């Protein structure tokens, strides 16, 4: 069964308060008024993708879950420790909680993350450098996904500076997707 926590449950919800949204795929900000009826399209990676009464698709951030009458999502399988190896494992783990709002597959399984490097600093923190791409160069959600990746990794224990670079060389192709992603999208 497709529940209300992930996947494609078509649940209609009246917003409990005005809420900030990001329009998909343009990536432009906006707001929806209290009482507006939205239809939940996807709630993966801590954000909610909904369609509005007018048929537009928008994203509502996890910290605004209360506007939908939902709980903010909890983070799962993070290891304890702040050594570079643990920070790198946790960075990959947290990147798996970030989803392209239009595709029910995380950015790691989609093959959008090319590199995640960790460099220890003298103060005991670690700098993280991430190279990622987008499914299409003109994707308006690029800066949003880039921000999500940076914010998620920055909140990990032991992390100092985070730099997320979006690159288009090599270009993304379906070959970069994991078997899991291909299965989820019905491509196998």
């Amino acid at each position: 069964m497709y529940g209300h926590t992930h996947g494609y449950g078509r649940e209609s919800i009246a917003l409990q308060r005005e809420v900030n949204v990001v329009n998909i795929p343009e990536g432009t900000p906006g707001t929806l008024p209290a009482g507006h009826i939205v239809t939940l399209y996807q709630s993966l990676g801590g954000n909610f993708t909904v369609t509005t009464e007018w048929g537009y698709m928008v994203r509502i951030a996890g910290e605004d879950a209360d506007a939908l009458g939902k709980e903010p999502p909890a983070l799962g399988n993070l290891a304890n420790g702040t050594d570079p190896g643990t920070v790198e494992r946790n960075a990959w783990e947290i990147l798996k909680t970030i989803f392209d709002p239009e595709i029910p597959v995380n950015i790691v399984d989609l093959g959008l993350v090319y590199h995640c490097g960790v460099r220890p600093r003298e103060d005991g923190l670690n700098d993280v450098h991430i190279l990622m791409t987008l499914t299409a160069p003109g994707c308006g959600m690029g800066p949003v996904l880039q921000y999500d990746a940076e914010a998620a990794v920055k909140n990990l224990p032991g992390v100092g500076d985070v730099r997320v670079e979006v690159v288009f060389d090599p270009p993304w192709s379906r070959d970069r997707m994991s078997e899991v992603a291909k299965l989820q999208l019905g491509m196998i």
Side-chain angles (χ1 to χ4, degrees):
M1 174 190 136
Y2 293 104
H4 300 301
T5 51
H6 55 273
Y8 294 107
R10 295 280 189 249
E11 179 184 3
S12 290
I13 300 166
L15 293 176
Q16 297 179 10
R17 62 173 174 83
E18 182 179 89
V19 68
N20 291 321
V21 298
V22 173
N23 293 294
I24 299 170
E26 305 85 16
T28 53
T31 58
L32 290 176
H36 190 91
I37 307 292
V38 296
T39 303
L40 188 58
Y41 176 75
Q42 176 174 291
S43 58
L44 293 166
N47 297 302
F48 301 89
T49 302
V50 300
T51 47
T52 66
E53 291 174 18
W54 310 299
Y56 299 114
M57 193 175 271
V58 299
R59 191 179 88 150
I60 297 174
E63 61 257 27
D64 290 321
D66 64 294
L68 294 163
K70 302 280 182 196
E71 290 293 314
L75 291 175
N77 326 330
L78 298 179
N80 288 325
T82 56
D83 61 280
T86 303
V87 168
E88 185 175 342
R89 275 194 303 284
N90 284 343
W92 280 106
E93 204 56 48
I94 204 89
L95 290 170
K96 288 181 185 171
T97 69
I98 297 168
F99 287 76
D100 180 308
E102 296 174 285
I103 306 171
V105 176
N106 70 66
I107 63 172
V108 173
D109 284 330
L110 268 179
L112 297 181
V113 180
Y114 289 171
H115 167 82
C116 175
V118 175
R119 203 180 76 241
R121 302 192 323 198
E122 286 182 13
D123 62 4
L125 293 175
N126 298 278
D127 291 340
V128 181
H129 180 227
I130 294 163
L131 287 179
M132 64 178 283
T133 193
L134 307 170
T135 52
C139 177
M141 292 304 290
V144 177
L145 291 173
Q146 184 177 10
Y147 170 80
D148 285 353
E150 188 176 315
V153 172
K154 209 173 204 32
N155 284 327
L156 291 171
V159 171
D161 294 324
V162 179
R163 195 160 61 97
V164 179
E165 244 181 294
V166 175
V167 297
F168 296 104
D169 188 23
W172 178 82
S173 76
R174 292 175 174 205
D175 301 341
R176 297 196 59 88
M177 292 167 59
S178 71
E179 295 299 307
V180 172
K182 290 177 182 170
L183 264 173
Q184 280 177 294
L185 298 176
M187 294 165 62
I188 293 182

